[in-house]
Amino acid sequence: MSNTKRAWSMILKDLKGEKKYFVWTFVYAAYMAFTLGMAVKGQLEDRSYASPVIDGLFLLLIPMLGFYFCRRSFKYLSEDSYTRMLAYFRALPISDHVVIAYRLMQIFLGFMVNGIVFFGLMYWIAEPMRNEMSLSGYLALALTWIGYGMMMSGPYMYFEFSNHGKAYLRSTLSLFAAAVVAAAGIKICGGNLLLYTIELATRWSLLSPIMWTALVAAAVSLAIFSKITLRKLRSRDLV
């Protein structure tokens, strides 16, 4: 409990000290909602052409909802800000358990705030969704993709805390490449991930099997990567 309280106090310090950066978080979530909402609207209006680009965009961008902008996120490459942050925490000292709890809280807060902005605006922009889906069905769709995003947050957390800035960038680009390959593979197999998740959410609502699979996968991913990231932090040289 003490780890959780200390991690939460660190979150509150971020929120108070870097307010100007959080404006860009809302702008980014709104921009994503507009861009992807228009793409989804076009896809639903013409389902005969299932574009892999939309799948790729969702696979690439949804995990980004788990981040909120701060000075470190803008400076991670030029100043290796995440490594410097870890060195600062170690000097205080703040335990590695608190650091993990702090990062997990950032992920949950990011998805909560950005998820409301993103999926709220997209529901308004993608008109066919409002006509075809109930609110509970759309909630199931949102939770499906949030579950996927949180599942991918596990690897992002590991790469962020185990690498210096340039290596973190390379690791992130490898995840981007994997998302593009996955979208292309789904298209080659004749599928469309977005339409499939919409279909299941419309049919099953909050009983959607893919929604629960995504949420369970998210919990497993965060648990596993929290443990291996913790082991990495204990042995990592921050010089």
Side-chain angles (χ1 to χ4, degrees), residues 117-212:
V117 174
F118 175 79
F119 287 103
L121 286 176
M122 192 171 71
Y123 187 68
W124 176 73
I125 293 169
E127 183 180 354
M129 280 186 169
R130 299 200 305 273
N131 298 331
E132 298 179 15
M133 304 182 73
S134 64
L135 283 176
S136 60
Y138 186 71
L139 178 60
L141 177 68
L143 289 175
T144 298
W145 283 101
I146 287 175
Y148 159 74
M150 295 183 72
M151 178 186 73
M152 294 304 299
S153 293
Y156 276 109
M157 176 176 63
Y158 175 77
F159 291 139
E160 180 182 307
F161 284 168
S162 63
N163 294 313
H164 291 282
K166 292 182 179 179
Y168 175 55
L169 175 62
R170 290 194 295 269
S171 300
T172 300
L173 292 177
S174 70
L175 292 178
F176 286 178
V180 172
V181 170
I186 291 170
K187 174 62 177 179
I188 291 172
C189 294
N192 183 274
L193 186 58
L194 174 65
L195 293 180
Y196 181 65
T197 56
I198 291 175
E199 179 184 347
L200 287 182
T202 302
R203 182 185 305 173
W204 292 96
S205 189
L206 293 176
L207 296 177
S208 170
I210 195 171
M211 179 195 78
W212 288 106

